[in-house]
Amino acid sequence: MSAEKFEPFALELYPEDLCRRLEQEQLFGEVPAVLEIDLGCGGGRFLQTMAEHFPDRNYIGVERLLGRVRKVCRRCERAGLQNVRALRLETTYAVEWLLPRSCADRVHLLFPDPWPKKKHHKRRLMCQPVFLKSVADLLKGGGEFLFKTDHEEYFELAQEAAQLCPHFEVVPWSEQDFFYAETDFERQWKEVGRKIQGLRLRKVKL
Ligand SMILES: C[S@@+](CC[C@H](N)C(=O)[O-])C[C@H]1O[C@@H](n2cnc3c(N)ncnc32)[C@H](O)[C@@H]1O
């Protein structure tokens, strides 16, 4: 029986070795550019809009569901974008073990699953003790981590986690500060009148 050769999508970031941290050049080649990483990117509306708006920046979406990774690749390929890659992987593994240290200018966590049941609270990324430290390791000095949610309780816990984390300072964030694309979930929650809250954290030198 011959094994079929697996072909990743053209815009898929497909590491040959998942046990070895990637080098910066393995992401988009040698040419330096601003890099932004969207954790749990879903179907990729945010990635596509940002990549079109900032063609000189590079974007990586991390997403664990194959169907959504496929969607990101298709929509960005159709739009002719060369500055997007999708990585099909679990966020904490990608952040902690796979992506190069100090590679990103901005990391986004937008409308992550809020895990409302008490027994699942420990799955909330912002409530995991190593998560913010791993995000800080991923960022360049002065880089930023941007978080948005429609979930009141999750937002409060995220604020507490940020205040306790020595690697970040909280920075004011208003809509006029810079162009920031809407995500699929943001659009959906706005339509039903949910309150959206955001947190902007800047990596500090220790
Ligand atoms: C609520 S959706 C939000 C999607 C997108 N950020 C948006 O705002 O439209 C959360 C997404 O994160 C993905 N996700 C959840 N936990 C993840 C994890 N641990 N690693 C990678 N992706 C994850 C889900 O599959 C889903 O696509």
Side-chain angles (χ1 to χ4, degrees):
M1 200 168 68
S2 69
E4 237 178 82
K5 192 174 178 307
F6 174 74
E7 288 290 341
F9 305 105
L11 292 184
E12 194 173 351
L13 179 61
Y14 189 76
E16 297 279 313
D17 183 352
L18 285 175
C19 297
R20 187 185 292 255
R21 191 178 295 286
L22 291 166
E23 302 287 336
Q24 178 99 35
E25 306 71 54
Q26 290 174 277
L27 305 178
F28 286 92
E30 304 272 346
V31 185
V34 166
L35 174 67
E36 304 197 22
I37 300 175
D38 183 14
L39 304 174
C41 64
R45 177 187 297 278
F46 173 81
L47 277 180
Q48 181 188 349
T49 316
M50 292 296 280
E52 285 173 337
H53 195 87
F54 296 111
D56 297 339
R57 299 184 189 178
N58 288 328
Y59 288 86
I60 294 176
V62 180
E63 170 59 51
R64 67 176 168 195
L65 295 183
L66 176 63
R68 292 186 180 173
V69 168
R70 214 171 250 169
K71 192 169 174 187
V72 175
C73 292
R74 284 216 193 94
R75 75 189 301 164
C76 292
E77 269 175 59
R78 265 203 300 267
L81 292 167
Q82 294 298 316
N83 57 338
V84 178
R85 298 286 180 276
L87 173 65
R88 187 187 172 209
L89 206 61
E90 213 279 322
T91 287
T92 52
Y93 188 84
V95 168
E96 214 176 324
W97 300 107
L98 192 77
L99 291 166
R101 296 255 156 89
S102 307
C103 69
D105 295 84
R106 297 210 293 194
V107 174
H108 312 271
L109 180 67
L110 304 170
F111 303 89
D113 295 338
W115 296 109
K117 286 188 186 158
K118 194 160 189 240
K119 65 177 177 181
H120 293 150
H121 283 181
K122 56 180 178 297
R123 296 186 190 172
R124 291 171 172 168
L125 288 170
M126 291 293 278
C127 303
Q128 295 176 18
V130 292
F131 179 69
L132 276 179
K133 162 78 170 76
S134 309
V135 171
D137 288 341
L138 196 58
L139 286 165
K140 298 174 186 168
E144 293 192 358
F145 174 59
L146 298 128
F147 169 83
K148 275 191 184 186
T149 183
D150 59 296
H151 196 277
E152 185 77 41
E153 184 198 314
Y154 195 1
F155 182 71
E156 282 165 18
L157 289 169
Q159 273 185 312
E160 281 170 28
Q163 269 145 17
L164 290 173
C165 179
H167 304 281
F168 288 106
E169 62 179 349
V170 179
V171 183
W173 184 11
S174 87
E175 269 189 31
Q176 293 75 43
D177 290 341
F178 42 74
F179 174 80
Y180 204 71
E182 197 173 61
T183 79
D184 278 309
F185 274 72
E186 182 165 15
R187 180 171 288 196
Q188 192 177 305
W189 296 138
K190 277 181 178 165
E191 273 170 15
V192 294
R194 294 255 189 115
K195 182 178 164 194
I196 310 288
Q197 298 189 85
L199 195 56
R200 179 181 175 192
L201 307 180
R202 186 171 296 147
K203 182 175 171 176
V204 292
K205 258 197 196 145
L206 289 181

